[in-house]
Amino acid sequence: PPHVSRMFHAPNVCPRRTRATANTHHTSDARPQRSRHARPQGRMEGMADERESKELQSGTLVIGLGRFGSAVAVTQDQLGYEILAVEKNPARVQAFAGRFPLVEADATSKDALEQLGAREFRSAVVGVGSSLEAAVLITANLVDMGISSIWVKATSSQHGRILRRVGAHHVVYPDLDAGKRTAHLVGGRMVDYIEMEKDGFSIMKLRPPTEVHGFSLEELDLRGRYGVNVLAIRHPKQRFEYANSSTRIISDDEIIVSGDSRLLEYFANRP
């Protein structure tokens, strides 16, 4: 019996030819594709075929539509990237049917991935971190297929080490990262925080300490005094703009600063 149960297409999607042989809602074997890539007629058709091939090679396979996987799929779809989501839970499939190209299938089966044309995708995101066995099997399948960029969700450092040994190129820890980010934010002044490297360079959005209110960046010399760089500033009811030496900070502003995470923490906690 086929490993792929059903294929769902978003409203503005037309089929693309693939090697898949699974039963779908179409009478021919097909891969979902956005209608905006519809093939032009006449002598431009050859160029369109080449372009479609490049788009297919740059697409992303999103496996698992839990909180993490669905966020990846929805965001990539909104950004206009070529994606195909794979989910084996019928309830989740129904919940997302019609929003983006979606297949109901068990990705732990290499045969199912072959039927979907997984080899033709450049990258894959595996969001089934709650099951180590499933994540390992799916990752191993993708490695065997030669996917050049494999991102896998992990729930612990031990989980992550196993996935890396199997062949995952990137391991992400959504729960751990969210917890660390929240720990930085609950202090008070921080509005947002991005750690670019562990215990190293970070970027922070915050409300400025009282001691810098009313001064220009040239007068403050924050890089010399605190080791932080002010990248941008937003005055009340305005958009962010690049900061320069004449930029003056007021109490209601928000500023984006960069630097070593410990120095940023120190600066953010200044009176």
Side-chain angles (χ1 to χ4, degrees):
H3 295 274
V4 180
S5 301
R6 290 177 290 175
M7 180 176 287
F8 299 83
H9 297 286
N12 295 323
V13 170
C14 63
R16 169 186 283 158
R17 186 63 81 175
T18 186
R19 295 189 303 270
T21 58
N23 293 330
T24 71
H25 288 301
H26 296 274
T27 57
S28 63
D29 300 336
R31 261 288 298 282
Q33 180 194 350
R34 298 179 177 282
S35 58
R36 65 170 174 270
H37 298 319
R39 195 181 305 179
Q41 300 299 315
R43 61 182 179 178
M44 297 297 291
E45 190 166 335
M47 296 177 62
D49 286 340
E50 182 179 355
R51 182 171 66 252
E52 286 188 359
S53 176
K54 291 180 180 178
E55 288 165 356
L56 186 62
Q57 291 294 334
S58 64
T60 300
L61 193 66
V62 181
I63 301 174
L65 291 178
R67 288 188 296 270
F68 173 74
S70 62
V72 173
V74 169
T75 303
Q76 287 232 315
D77 183 67
Q78 290 173 343
L79 292 173
Y81 293 118
E82 188 80 14
I83 71 162
L84 177 63
V86 182
E87 171 60 56
K88 71 174 184 178
N89 185 317
R92 289 180 182 172
V93 170
Q94 288 294 340
F96 290 98
R99 299 184 61 178
F100 43 73
L102 171 61
V103 174
E104 181 183 332
D106 183 359
T108 62
S109 165
K110 190 174 181 179
D111 288 341
L113 292 176
E114 292 283 8
Q115 291 176 34
L116 299 174
R119 291 181 185 273
E120 299 176 62
F121 286 88
R122 183 190 65 83
S123 59
V125 178
V126 182
V128 292
S130 58
S131 171
L132 174 58
E133 181 182 2
V136 167
L137 287 172
I138 294 169
T139 302
N141 288 339
L142 296 172
V143 170
D144 289 344
M145 292 180 176
I147 307 300
S148 60
S149 181
I150 303 172
W151 298 73
V152 189
K153 172 189 172 183
T155 56
S156 68
S157 57
Q158 294 88 345
H159 188 170
R161 282 197 297 271
I162 294 172
L163 291 168
R164 286 192 180 278
R165 289 177 182 175
V166 171
H169 303 114
H170 308 276
V171 177
V172 294
Y173 305 88
D175 295 336
L176 177 62
D177 292 342
K180 291 172 64 177
R181 182 169 171 271
T182 301
H184 286 285
L185 299 180
V186 295
R189 286 201 184 98
M190 290 191 208
V191 179
D192 205 352
Y193 179 88
I194 302 175
E195 186 177 64
M196 308 304 292
E197 60 183 358
K198 185 177 181 181
D199 298 325
F201 189 86
S202 299
I203 299 174
M204 179 189 302
K205 180 169 72 174
L206 73 154
R207 293 178 288 274
T210 304
E211 66 179 33
V212 305
H213 295 174
F215 295 95
S216 70
L217 294 182
E218 183 176 25
E219 294 168 333
L220 290 169
D221 186 24
L222 295 179
R223 184 170 185 176
R225 293 172 61 190
Y226 299 116
V228 302
N229 296 303
V230 178
L231 305 177
I233 186 169
R234 179 167 65 185
H235 301 303
K237 299 181 180 180
Q238 296 184 28
R239 299 173 67 87
F240 272 105
E241 59 184 31
Y242 289 112
N244 56 52
S245 59
S246 63
T247 298
R248 191 169 297 274
I249 300 175
I250 61 176
S251 60
D252 293 332
D253 287 341
E254 285 185 341
I255 57 176
I256 296 178
V257 295
S258 65
D260 182 87
S261 58
R262 291 167 295 181
L263 297 178
L264 291 179
E265 289 278 359
Y266 178 76
F267 174 68
N269 291 316
R270 295 289 298 170

